[in-house]
Amino acid sequence: MSTPSSHAFTAQFDVNNQEFALTGVLRPHSVAELADDLALLRNGIETVNGVCYINLKRVVHMNNTAFRALTRVLVDATRSRPDLKLIVVASSVVAWAARLFHHLSALSPNIVFEIYDSAFYPGQTFVENQSFIPILRTQTKMTWRHEREILPRHGLREGLDIADICCGIGDFAMLIRKDFKPARIVALDHSTASLDYARAVARDFGVDDIEYTYGDASQMLFESNQFDFVTCRHSLQIFDRPDVLLRELYRICKPGGRVYITNEKNSHCLGEPRADTIQWTYNEVAKLFSHFDMDVEMGPKGRRMLLDAGFTDVKMESFMVTNLDGDPQDFADIITAWQNVYADEMAVRRGDSADFIEQFKQGFQDHIFAALHPRGYAGWPIWASSGQKPL
């Protein structure tokens, strides 16, 4: 059920999920403007049992008139339905939500307020580790020489409105800005440390036309059908629900626009000499990530995933980043960073034995040896895929 509204927000009640959802900007001048929406909530509450969810994940702004009207309905409901628990769910992306709603439980013990993305995804603490940030620039430097040639084949050209979702430290957005001269570029991420780094670099280089934005990629506050070209690199593979992210990428893309994704298949990382120990370690990397509900084997799955999400004209290709793409020490530095996070943090968190971790580290050390060996070869495979949103 939903209520039509001339205002910049919508209200829906999902009977199956027992959820009332508000979306958009709530700035009514009077409570009367919310009458239909509040009636929808009251009527919905009367039909549910046990728990009723109040979903505010996509509410961009709420003034005091709306806040007081909504909380009055919720408090009244707990008095008329003492058997019912009301769970108000908001996002840390909208900082005002916690400020306004954290007092709700004091009004009624049957009202619970949750910031749903405080533990955003199972592997968040690893991939948003601040010590990992410096190496990300090196990674992008090594992948860009390949992607600079690939991106035009996937539809990127000058003058487009572009969104770089899960932008990390913003280096990819900076490169797109420089080489493809977009009409507009927005770069969104959920890591405040990464965005702080990105903004600092932009200031240092005098760049003020990249819109760095704090946000949740699975519940973006962008309007639908907004961007000509949407990128999401090395990110679907670290979320436990990549299909949710893909739906959001599809939503914000304009009809006829394209979504471009890159992902890896870590078990195909390779090196020579010492190929066997290297292969063993990267097979174990894939298992380790799977333990934390991440899929670093996702690369070749990109075509199927885009088609399943409703995209058409899907294009797919792969490339190998190697120690021959520039300074071999850069490649070795990347592997060192992987070892520090994967072996010293993730494997420890999983509870692996000291003997396993020692063997696990040996494969990374051998990969570094291959990268720096005068006759050695070390590779890291990446799959690039894109799909068009139907007109």
Side-chain angles (χ1 to χ4, degrees), residues 133-142 169 171 197 201 205:
I133 287 177
I135 204 64
L136 296 176
R137 182 172 288 261
T138 303
Q139 288 189 176
T140 303
K141 181 174 73 173
M142 298 191 75
I169 61 171
D171 47 351
Y197 185 96
V201 170
F205 283 86

Side-chain angles (χ1 to χ4, degrees), residues 228-262:
D228 301 299
F229 198 83
V230 180
T231 64
C232 187
R233 301 167 60 259
H234 304 287
S235 298
L236 292 171
Q237 63 189 28
I238 63 172
F239 286 96
D240 55 332
R241 295 188 62 195
D243 56 316
V244 174
L245 250 66
L246 267 177
R247 286 200 296 270
E248 278 291 271
L249 301 178
Y250 183 98
R251 182 183 66 81
I252 68 172
C253 185
K254 293 179 183 177
R258 296 190 71 85
V259 167
Y260 169 87
I261 61 175
T262 63

